[in-house]
Amino acid sequence: MPTAIECRDLRKTYDDKVEAVRGLNLEIQAGECFGLLGPNGAGKTTTIEILEGLLAPTSGMVSILGHRWDENEREMREWLGISLQETRLSEKLSVRETIDLFASFYREPRSTDEVLEELQLTEKADSWVGKLSGGQRQRLAVATALVCNPKILFLDEPTTGLDPQSRRQLWDIIRVFQRNGGTVLLTTHYMDEAERLCDRLAIIDHGQVIAQGSPPDLITRLGGHHVVEFLVDGNSGGAQDVWRTLPSVESVREDDGLIALNVKQPHLTIPALLEAIERQGGKLQHLTTRQASLEDVFVRLTGRHLRED
Amino acid sequence: MSVAQQTPVRTQPATPPPTQRRNGRWAGYSHLLMARMLELKREPEVVFWVFIFPLLLALGLGIAFRNKPEGAVSVAIVQGAESAQTLLQKSPQANQFKVQVLDAEAAHQGFRLGKFDVAIEPGPNGTFTYRYDPARPESVLARAEVNDALQSAAGRTDPVPTKPVSSSEPGSRYIDFLIPGLLGMNLMNSGMWGIGFALVDMRQRKLLKRFVGTPMRRGDFLLALASSRLILMIIEVGLLLAFGALFFHMRVMGSIAGIALIAGMGSLTFGGVGLLTASRAQKIESVSGLINLVMMPMWIFSGVFFSYERFPAIIHPLIKALPLTALNDALRASILEGTPILHQWPRLLVMIVWGGVSFVLALKWFRWT
Ligand SMILES: Nc1ncnc2c1ncn2[C@@H]1O[C@H](COP(=O)(O)OP(=O)(O)OP(=O)(O)O)[C@@H](O)[C@H]1O
Ligand SMILES: [Mg+2]
């Protein structure tokens, strides 16, 4: 499969001070939906804007469908649909006028009505942008990206602020786009979204990729399959070391008194855990086990990362 | 290498391929221009400040400073000096005076408030005392006129015969001076705000960045902005001139085409200056300050409300180098005197230099993101 987006050793330093991106490598295949995950300030927006050719990198190489920004910018713009993290479109224009305006910049855009229909904005076509709800504005922003009939869609937090219903609608739109051969690069803070929508993910922190792979792959590799969460009464200070040495435990996390163990084989861990609590003279208040999720991977990676700083 | 080849070929698209249309070279420009005009039209504040406010200003100032009708010298005669009234009525200029007889206190009071230009008080042995204010030009004038009238009514003959011809023809009144000045100021205001403010607002809203993310031609974007200014300019100029002609019987001596050309150049000049002030600012607060800072000296020096001849002659060359001075002078010459465009080239040159240099610098420094 050809490469749609590629960057190598990307670096961006703002004002000679803030190192927002430090040596980032990505290779995204055509037809793929690729997600960038990371805590606030990780460098997602900076990365995506460099890939979109809106921000010059301090150093590094970017290639979009085999072309470089400094060589072929105008032509490349015809291929990309962009939705920025935060754009306030003109409030005094109607939804239709706004989409028509963006469509007019492209040589062969799609029909406005079709895009309105797809994003369920037909009803609001003649309302002013200023009168839309937050979620409707968000959908309009995606509509302005889709109307150009792009090959690659860049979406920076497209579903932030949407209700669950609208988020699912947007997922469907993205899937249809992808099914028709489009490539998608999106950033998100929603783990379920990343898990369901993205073929592959990169978790970014401090401007670097700290893990990459398909969601199931990341979960089995880094989430530890299962999570055992429990709460003990009494003296448990310094007990972290005890939990870590229990059989089959991969990592320990404490969250507001609740202890979470990433575990490969719960049937080995739990008996040993009960025994250890007994030995300490603690009293078990609460115990659950569940499948590991992407969230566990994320918290584990970025949480540990932050603590190590 | 063509792009189409790189997109993977899907066997069975799940949905019908999207319908397409084709856009010509100028589609972006015309949509940008239309969007801009729609936005302006839907912004009631813009309609007020650009179109209505200058008319109100012209109306207010035109009425406040209208030339006084005949007999407008208002004279207070303090009781005891009534013989002055008889004399004034006998004088040849009798119809120039509006006379009121009242007691000393009421006369002083009225004089202080500016209701009377001069007060005539009884002096010892049948003489008169004039009470006037040397700081008020109309008071000084009134004293002289009253004195002339009294003396000639009492029998003074002037050794040199003279004959006054009054001139308050359209073309030489304050309102005639004012309207071209307001026009120039309005073109400056709307050029600076309409371009400078609008651009920074779009930059702050990340809309400029979003536009740059499309294949939009940046030149078309600026051209659309300039075009919208020119369209507004035609309406602004037309309204204000028509208003002057209707309400104040102002006469437009120059050709409409010439006036439109000067106004258009003024618009573009201040559009260029507006572009420069907006080239880097990230926040509308900072550009607002900057715009006011740039316009302030021109409000004062460029002869909007009063002639810059009142400033010391030594700074006149500096004042004339300001773009608003050039615009105002050119508009006045063209509207009031019908001076042909070709005779105005130094003023037009001043505008071109300001506009051109600003535009070039702005393009060099301009930040789209
Ligand atoms: N224009 C700028 N000037 C200086 N520093 C900046 C600028 N933009 C971003 N940064 C810094 O660069 C870092 C990365 O920012 P970025 O916006 O890429 O993060 P992000 O991952 O998109 O975060 P979020 O999830 O909050 O959107 C942050 O520390 C931010 O403060
Ligand atoms: Mg961001």
Side-chain angles (χ1 to χ4, degrees):
Chain A
M1 226 185 257
T3 307
I5 305 169
E6 189 186 356
C7 69
R8 253 185 266 133
D9 200 26
L10 210 59
R11 285 171 198 280
K12 177 71 189 181
T13 309
Y14 286 110
D15 315 319
D16 295 327
K17 287 195 298 276
V18 190
E19 287 187 71
V21 177
R22 342 180 178 190
L24 201 128
N25 298 297
L26 288 174
E27 195 171 327
I28 299 166
Q29 308 305 321
E32 204 173 21
C33 178
F34 194 94
L36 292 181
L37 244 58
N40 291 132
K44 302 181 296 296
T45 298
T46 307
T47 305
I48 207 168
E49 288 189 355
I50 292 174
L51 297 177
E52 288 163 347
L54 293 176
L55 203 60
T58 309
S59 68
M61 183 281 278
V62 175
S63 141
I64 304 288
L65 293 168
H67 294 251
R68 305 289 174 87
W69 278 114
D70 49 6
E71 287 164 1
N72 204 4
E73 171 165 356
R74 227 191 103 65
E75 191 57 34
M76 289 162 78
R77 294 250 166 255
E78 297 273 351
W79 313 331
L80 308 188
I82 290 176
S83 162
L84 299 174
Q85 180 167 358
E86 162 213 13
T87 305
R88 276 180 292 139
L89 297 163
S90 301
E91 307 223 320
K92 295 285 162 73
L93 292 181
S94 75
V95 169
R96 181 189 300 280
E97 286 157 359
T98 305
I99 299 180
D100 276 338
L101 175 63
F102 277 91
S104 74
F105 302 142
Y106 295 86
R107 271 199 304 265
E108 296 186 342
R110 296 174 56 187
S111 100
T112 302
D113 285 319
E114 201 178 273
V115 176
L116 282 170
E117 183 80 45
E118 197 172 305
L119 285 143
Q120 311 201 331
L121 284 167
T122 310
E123 216 176 297
K124 291 280 166 191
D126 297 315
S127 310
W128 287 4
V129 174
K131 300 259 155 69
L132 297 183
S133 76
Q136 289 163 342
R137 280 179 210 213
Q138 198 84 326
R139 273 187 277 161
L140 176 59
V142 176
T144 61
L146 276 175
V147 75
C148 67
N149 198 16
K151 296 178 192 303
I152 304 178
L153 200 53
F154 287 94
L155 303 172
D156 198 353
E157 298 195 22
T159 58
T160 301
L162 292 189
D163 62 36
Q165 199 67 32
S166 312
R167 277 175 60 202
R168 280 179 176 70
Q169 282 166 9
L170 198 59
W171 296 354
D172 287 340
I173 290 160
I174 292 172
R175 287 200 189 101
V176 169
F177 174 76
Q178 204 191 348
R179 223 176 300 148
N180 286 324
T183 308
V184 183
L185 176 61
L186 59 83
T187 72
T188 182
H189 285 297
Y190 297 109
M191 297 302 144
D192 56 335
E193 180 167 294
E195 212 167 323
R196 288 190 211 179
L197 199 55
C198 298
D199 302 317
R200 281 199 306 142
L201 298 170
I203 297 180
I204 296 186
D205 201 6
H206 298 291
Q208 283 170 322
V209 176
I210 55 175
Q212 198 172 165
S214 71
D217 175 41
L218 283 171
I219 293 168
T220 41
R221 248 193 315 137
L222 299 158
H225 312 264
H226 294 274
V227 179
V228 175
E229 282 173 327
F230 64 95
L231 196 65
V232 270
D233 230 13
N235 157 44
S236 64
Q240 284 249 354
D241 294 335
V242 179
W243 314 135
R244 209 184 294 279
T245 55
L246 293 173
S248 171
V249 168
E250 300 195 311
S251 70
V252 181
R253 192 167 83 228
E254 192 176 337
D255 196 1
D256 215 8
L258 193 71
I259 305 190
L261 308 178
N262 285 305
V263 167
K264 257 207 173 101
Q265 290 167 302
H267 68 276
L268 295 181
T269 313
I270 293 177
L273 171 67
L274 295 177
E275 217 173 284
I277 294 173
E278 188 115 343
R279 256 204 317 273
Q280 283 189 348
K283 190 158 176 279
L284 193 63
Q285 292 283 0
H286 167 90
L287 174 79
T288 52
T289 73
R290 57 177 172 81
Q291 288 271 301
S293 69
L294 199 53
E295 182 135 13
D296 295 303
V297 176
F298 184 80
V299 172
R300 184 179 157 196
L301 286 177
T302 59
R304 189 179 63 189
H305 211 84
L306 290 174
R307 266 202 297 280
E308 277 175 358
D309 264 9
Chain B
M1 167 165 38
S2 107
V3 185
Q5 288 168 342
Q6 297 201 344
T7 327
V9 184
R10 297 274 156 161
T11 39
Q12 196 77 68
T15 46
T19 18
Q20 292 191 345
R21 47 183 158 160
R22 287 201 141 265
N23 275 324
R25 163 69 183 85
W26 294 102
Y29 167 80
S30 61
H31 276 82
L32 281 165
L33 178 58
M34 200 168 61
R36 184 90 198 116
M37 295 311 292
L38 282 175
E39 268 186 275
L40 290 174
K41 197 182 86 185
R42 291 170 185 172
E43 200 80 63
E45 297 94 324
V46 171
V47 176
F48 177 79
W49 289 110
V50 175
F51 298 131
I52 313 288
F53 181 69
L55 297 189
L56 292 180
L57 207 57
L59 188 66
L61 290 171
I63 289 174
F65 294 100
R66 72 188 181 284
N67 294 40
K68 289 191 180 176
E70 299 285 318
V73 176
S74 59
V75 183
I77 293 184
V78 175
Q79 280 156 0
E82 282 90 348
S83 54
Q85 188 182 14
T86 332
L87 280 175
L88 279 182
Q89 274 161 2
K90 279 202 309 194
S91 74
Q93 304 95 318
N95 57 357
Q96 281 182 21
F97 302 109
K98 209 167 76 197
V99 177
Q100 212 175 332
V101 181
L102 16 77
D103 64 50
E105 182 148 352
H108 287 178
Q109 179 82 9
F111 179 74
R112 265 206 309 279
L113 294 178
K115 197 172 153 198
F116 303 113
D117 298 326
V118 64
I120 305 176
E121 297 170 0
N125 321 324
T127 58
F128 299 124
T129 311
Y130 299 126
R131 179 178 291 274
Y132 79 108
D133 179 354
R136 268 168 58 198
E138 65 274 25
S139 183
V140 175
L141 201 67
R143 188 197 77 124
E145 294 200 345
V146 164
N147 187 46
D148 267 357
L150 282 182
Q151 303 300 353
S152 56
R156 182 184 77 184
T157 49
D158 294 326
V160 180
T162 57
K163 185 161 168 273
V165 172
S166 82
S167 163
S168 57
E169 290 288 297
S172 62
R173 305 158 308 169
Y174 180 61
I175 188 72
D176 300 307
F177 177 85
L178 182 66
I179 284 199
L182 284 180
L183 203 54
M185 184 182 77
N186 202 31
L187 291 174
M188 171 173 82
N189 280 348
S190 46
M192 297 284 289
W193 290 107
I195 303 273
F197 188 86
L199 277 173
V200 177
D201 183 47
M202 285 192 229
R203 183 183 293 131
Q204 191 179 0
R205 281 157 49 203
K206 303 267 195 284
L207 190 57
L208 278 187
K209 189 187 245 181
R210 180 65 188 84
F211 280 155
V212 170
T214 71
M216 178 190 82
R217 287 165 211 266
R218 298 173 189 194
D220 283 8
F221 175 82
L222 294 179
L223 199 63
L225 215 56
S227 313
S228 74
R229 279 299 313 134
L230 288 181
I231 294 173
L232 283 200
M233 176 279 294
I234 291 172
I235 307 176
E236 282 166 42
V237 173
L239 265 181
L240 206 53
L241 288 184
F243 176 85
L246 271 168
F247 280 80
F248 294 104
H249 308 289
M250 192 174 123
R251 260 191 251 143
V252 176
M253 309 301 286
S255 75
I256 296 295
I259 295 169
L261 186 77
I262 294 171
M265 285 184 56
S267 268
L268 293 180
T269 299
F270 287 110
V273 179
L275 190 71
L276 182 61
T277 53
S279 55
R280 293 191 92 84
Q282 293 288 344
K283 295 250 175 280
I284 48 178
E285 289 84 357
S286 49
V287 82
S288 301
L290 212 53
I291 289 177
N292 279 324
L293 190 72
V294 171
M295 296 202 304
M296 180 71 82
M298 292 191 264
W299 280 334
I300 299 173
F301 291 110
S302 289
V304 175
F305 298 103
F306 55 89
S307 167
Y308 57 77
E309 299 291 343
R310 292 187 180 210
F311 291 106
I314 190 153
I315 62 169
H316 282 185
L318 281 181
I319 293 179
K320 284 185 184 168
L322 293 173
L324 184 60
T325 316
L327 175 60
N328 281 346
D329 284 353
L331 282 171
R332 285 204 176 101
S334 190
I335 294 174
L336 303 179
E337 289 153 36
T339 312
I341 281 280
L342 286 181
H343 293 184
Q344 305 234 42
W345 65 265
R347 291 164 181 157
L348 300 187
L349 192 67
V350 168
M351 287 197 264
I352 289 173
V353 168
W354 274 97
V357 170
S358 303
F359 188 73
V360 169
L361 289 179
L363 284 195
K364 207 170 131 201
W365 288 333
F366 198 81
R367 269 212 193 135
W368 288 90
T369 55

